[in-house]
Amino acid sequence: MDFSLPTDLVAYLGELDRFIEREIKPLEQADDNIRFFDHRREWARTDFENGGLPRHEWEALLRKAKDLADAAGHLRFPVPKQYGGKDGSNLWMAVIREHFAAKGLGLHNDLQNEHSIVGNFPVVTMLDRYGRDDQKAMIDGSIKGKYRITFGLTEPHHGSDATHMETRAVPATRDNVKGWIINGEKMWTTGMHVATHCALFARTSGNDGDARGITCFLVPAKSHGVKVEEYMWTFNMPTDHPRVSFTDVFVPEDALFGEVGRGLSLAQCFVHQNRIRQAASSLGAAVYCINESVRYARERKPFGRALAENQAIQFPLVELATQAEMLRLLIRKTAWEMDQLTEEQIERTLSDRVSMCNYWANRLCCESADRAMQVHGGMGYSRHKPFEHIYRHHRRYRITEGSEEIQMRKVAGFLFGYMGPGKH
């Protein structure tokens, strides 16, 4: 059994590294753009006078980097070839995401908002697999930034229990146009401040807790009755995570996204891709923290002895490095298996391992960042090092992404026999 990476993948990593040095790093250094990544990052990214939303300059810089990557043929790597991509696999994406995150903070890849020069486009996958032809026509625009489709699944009173959905959609006719009227609320609808549409999940039949009976709609963000109620601050970072209300929102029949009552299939399509790639990014960030700690421990010599000579420094890093190595194998194996299966097969037979990768990678990253802060001493806890930023971001993942609860519940479902093969 050969566990080595394909030679063409290794070659592509080298190509990406050269592109970063040639085009992304100069942009990062121009016009003091480094302020978005050094000790000034939170202040530079946050528009405090506008409710804490991301500053326009910050988001414009990210868009410029994406455009450079798109022109170079990298941004659309995971997208199907008919939309200008390279049909990049989950395995390749996992390796690329770990590689990027292990480089540390930078314009090439920023985990706070899922920015990367090799894009992660779960909405494109949803449009391609479940959209009508007119909805698939939105794919190019969603990659270029013309369309921004947010994800409206989580609700204020039910959090991780996505199937206990109070948002309702009922058939209706308005001005002789058939459609649906939607009422409800959503939380953590990331990006709503610049959204053109919301992929909104609402119950159209069945009872609370049923997997069937949930339907997805592409709701224009400026529809009458759509209101951002508040933006939720998280760990002193810019907030683009609002609570949004939908009050008597009418959408025509062509807003339907996928099959009536089968909306969770779209949601699973979104989260499976997102979570295996997020796991790889978290692993990469953990590796960065571990490597920086080892390097510093070798250089730092308090009282005339290198920190690295102390077992109290060595052994915790040994444990973290061991966990990282084991997790890397699990992530890559799981990503490879995902590439062999349909979305329905992944949900039925593999989603427990996707969950394992996700929650453990986030936990490992938090532990590695915390250890890096300790090894680096006082400076480790300052904003002059990136570790506190990495810690806060991945601690937020563990909460707002539901990684601890949702993912462990999924694993428990397979382990104790109420989910998994034969249970659907």
Side-chain angles (χ1 to χ4, degrees), residues 5 28 35 76 85 101 108 115 122-123 128 130 141 166 183 191 223 231 245 259 262 266 272 290 346 368 377 381 391:
L5 294 178
E28 182 180 286
R35 70 188 185 277
R76 304 183 190 216
H108 65 287
H115 161 78
V123 169
D128 180 47
Y130 297 98
E166 294 186 14
N183 283 277
S223 297
Y231 283 94
S245 64
E259 295 182 42
R262 300 292 299 271
L266 281 78
H272 282 144
I290 294 167
I346 292 172
S368 299
Y381 289 92
Y391 176 86

Side-chain angles (χ1 to χ4, degrees), residues 294 297 306-320 375:
V294 170
L307 281 175
E309 295 180 22
N310 299 319
Q311 289 184 347
I313 297 293
Q314 294 174 359
F315 284 9
L317 291 172
V318 166
E319 290 189 5
L320 293 172
V375 171

Side-chain angles (χ1 to χ4, degrees), residues 93-95 97-99 101 111 114 120 271-287 324 327-328 330-332 334-335 338 353-365 394 397 401 403 407:
M93 282 295 289
V95 173
R97 280 306 181 93
E98 180 192 342
H99 181 73
L111 300 181
E114 288 296 316
N120 186 31
V271 299
H272 282 144
Q273 281 197 5
N274 236 23
R275 285 175 176 157
I276 193 65
R277 294 169 187 178
Q278 185 193 94
S281 294
S282 298
L283 170 61
V287 168
L327 181 60
R328 178 179 295 112
L330 178 61
I331 288 174
R332 291 180 181 180
T334 303
M338 289 175 67
R353 273 169 282 168
V354 176
S355 294
M356 289 177 185
C357 293
N358 186 268
Y359 92 80
W360 194 258
N362 284 328
R363 183 180 293 185
L364 176 63
C365 188
H394 288 272
Y397 260 162
E401 290 289 323
S403 294
Q407 307 316 318

Side-chain angles (χ1 to χ4, degrees), residues 125-184:
T125 305
M126 291 168 63
L127 289 168
D128 180 47
R129 292 183 182 176
Y130 297 98
R132 302 183 308 270
D133 287 344
D134 59 310
Q135 292 170 333
K136 291 179 181 180
M138 301 173 69
I139 287 176
D140 187 68
S142 67
I143 296 171
K144 291 181 177 178
K146 177 182 178 181
Y147 300 114
R148 174 69 184 267
I149 302 174
T150 64
F151 195 67
L153 181 65
T154 305
E155 297 192 348
H157 301 298
H158 301 286
S160 302
D161 187 1
T163 59
H164 197 116
M165 191 167 290
E166 294 186 14
T167 300
R168 296 289 194 269
V170 297
T173 300
R174 184 174 289 181
D175 298 329
N176 295 319
V177 176
K178 288 185 177 181
W180 302 78
I181 289 180
I182 304 174
N183 283 277

